Every structure is written in structure tokens, then in C-alpha cells.
């Protein structure tokens, strides 16, 4: 059974949990306390030397990078429904996973930390950092919105692991205060993601926390 080492409060941990639920891959959770900094020290750093969450183990095989864990789990799931093997469909999904990891996640992460996590920790929000990031976030949201104007889901007519990967960085978008007003297609799509049983089942502690605003 796949063993996942993570904290469900974090973006990339939620991504992996929701993905495993979507794929129907059995897993066991090893909780690594993000708020206590357990991801910065052994034994976790023996699994993931980057000191970031999540990591996974399949027997002796260790894997990190949340999107790689999703790809691995999709291929071990026994169905290619959520990660088709067709060359163009697969590379389209890979393209969105790479875009998410390289651009979307780091940008949404600023809003996650400043607007959702820092208030929980009673730390001051850095408004200047948010203002600096907002134009970049809007540019990226424009790319995603244009894609979602053309298809129901990120990579076509049906749900794939790309939807889970791209939705995860905005998984508490209200608390993150993501400026979604000008992006109707993202709003329509994220509402659909939020109805997926895999999403509902993996609602984490940050969703549940009382809004500090
Ligand atoms: N590209 C990595 C990013 C992992 C990552 O940044 N995880 C965050 C939580 S969502 C983390 O552990 N941050 C702690 C830190 O940067 O100290 C992945 O997708 O797994």
C-alpha cells in the first residue's frame, strides 16, 4: 500500500490525498506536523531532503514532488481514465501539471501563506508582498480562465489529475482571498471541483478553521 507522509493542511498534501481518492488507490497517512516544523527535520528529511511536504513510499521506493506522486498513483491505479495513455491527452495533462508546479502553485502559495496561514498563526500579513504578486497571479489566472472557456475541465471533457493539481493551490480560495471576480470560467470550474467526492472527503483543517477575517 502507498504510504503518504504529509499534513492535510497544506496545498500539496491536499492535492495528493484528493488525487488518491479520485484514483481509488489505497493509501496510509503518516501525519507530518507542518505547523510544528516536522517537515524540516529527520526522519521526514530522510524521505524528502527538500524539507517540503508531501512524500510517498511504496515499499522501498521513495518519491517526492506531489505531481510525480499523482502520476505514479494514476499509473498504478489500473485505469487510465484520469491520466489517459493517449499521447496528446497525456502530454496535455503533463503540460498543466508542469505549469501548476512552476507557475500557478508558487503564485497561489503567496496568497495561501499571507491570507490563510499567517492569520491562523497570528502573524502579520505582508500586504506589500500580496500587492507585488497580484499582477502575476492575474496573468496566470487569465491563462487558466481562457483554457476553461474552451473545455469543461482543465484537460478536456472529463476530470483528470490535472484538475486536482491545478485546483489544489487554490483549495481555500476564499480564505486565500484570491481575486477571482474577473475569472468566471475558473469560478465555474472550481465550483465543479468542489462537488467531487474526492474533494469533499479531503477537506482539511484550514478549510475547517474559523475564518480570521
Ligand atoms: N513542488 C513541491 C512543492 C512542495 C511544497 O512547497 N510544499 C509546501 C506545502 S504545500 C511545504 O512543505 N512548504 C514548507 C516550506 O516551504 O518550508 C511539490 O509539489 O511537492
Amino acid at each position: 500500500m502507498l504510504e503518504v507522509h504529509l499534513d492535510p493542511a497544506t496545498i500539496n498534501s491536499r492535492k495528493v490525498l484528493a488525487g488518491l481518492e479520485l484514483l481509488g488507490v489505497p493509501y496510509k497517512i503518516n501525519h507530518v506536523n507542518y505547523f510544528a516544523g516536522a517537515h524540516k527535520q529527520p526522519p521526514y528529511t530522510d524521505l524528502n531532503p527538500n524539507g517540503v511536504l508531501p512524500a510517498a513510499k511504496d515499499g522501498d521506493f521513495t518519491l517526492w514532488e506531489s505531481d510525480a506522486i499523482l502520476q505514479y498513483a494514476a499509473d498504478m491505479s489500473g485505469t487510465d481514465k484520469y491520466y489517459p495513455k493517449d499521447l496528446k491527452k497525456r502530454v496535455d495533462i503533463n503540460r498543466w501539471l508542469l505549469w501548476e508546479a512552476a507557475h500557478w502553485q508558487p503564485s497561489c502559495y503567496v496568497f495561501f501563506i499571507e491570507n490563510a496561514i499567517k492569520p491562523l498563526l497570528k502573524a502579520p500579513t505582508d500586504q506589500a508582498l500580496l500587492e507585488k504578486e497580484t499582477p502575476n497571479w492575474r496573468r496566470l489566472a487569465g491563462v487558466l480562465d481562457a483554457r476553461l472557456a474552451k473545455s469543461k475541465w482543465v484537460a478536456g471533457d472529463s476530470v483528470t489529475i490535472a484538475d486536482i493539481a491545478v485546483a489544489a493551490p487554490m483549495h481555500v480560495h476564499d480564505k486565500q482571498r484570491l481575486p477571482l471576480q474577473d475569472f468566471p470560467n475558473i469560478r465555474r470550474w472550481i465550483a465543479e471541483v468542489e462537488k467531487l467526492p474526492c474533494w469533499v472527503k479531503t477537506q482539511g483543517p484550514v478549510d475547517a478553521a474559523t475564518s480570521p477575517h
Side-chain angles (χ1 to χ4, degrees), residues 28-50:
K28 173 177 176 284
I29 298 182
N30 258 290
H31 189 256
V32 182
N33 192 326
Y34 169 80
F35 293 100
H39 56 299
K40 295 290 181 205
Q41 45 194 297
Y44 181 75
T45 48
D46 298 336
L47 288 180
N48 185 349
N50 298 290

Side-chain angles (χ1 to χ4, degrees), residues 7 9-16 34 39-40 44 48 50-55 64-69 100-102 105 109 112-113:
D7 186 327
T10 74
I11 283 174
N12 291 299
S13 300
R14 168 79 180 281
K15 181 199 288 177
V16 164
Y34 169 80
H39 56 299
K40 295 290 181 205
Y44 181 75
N48 185 349
N50 298 290
V52 294
L53 298 166
W64 36 262
E65 282 297 327
S66 57
D67 290 328
I69 297 170
E100 179 267 330
Q105 195 258 316
Y109 198 64
F112 181 69
I113 296 296

Side-chain angles (χ1 to χ4, degrees), residues 100-111:
E100 179 267 330
H103 306 290
W104 186 235
Q105 195 258 316
S107 186
C108 291
Y109 198 64
V110 174
F111 293 82

Side-chain angles (χ1 to χ4, degrees), residues 81-147:
K81 187 173 169 198
Y82 302 110
Y83 190 38
K85 289 202 167 65
D86 171 85
L87 195 57
K88 289 199 173 65
K89 285 185 182 157
R90 181 159 282 218
V91 81
D92 187 25
I93 294 169
N94 289 344
R95 171 239 306 267
W96 285 105
L97 297 184
L98 291 164
W99 177 83
E100 179 267 330
H103 306 290
W104 186 235
Q105 195 258 316
S107 186
C108 291
Y109 198 64
V110 174
F111 293 82
F112 181 69
I113 296 296
E114 296 304 323
N115 285 335
I117 296 295
K118 281 192 175 174
L120 285 180
L121 300 175
K122 307 211 180 328
T125 295
D126 186 341
Q127 289 300 343
L129 188 60
L130 284 168
E131 273 162 39
K132 187 164 168 249
E133 186 55 32
T134 297
N136 185 44
W137 186 88
R138 293 183 66 83
R139 181 182 64 81
L140 294 166
V143 172
L144 179 59
D145 198 75
R147 170 65 190 173

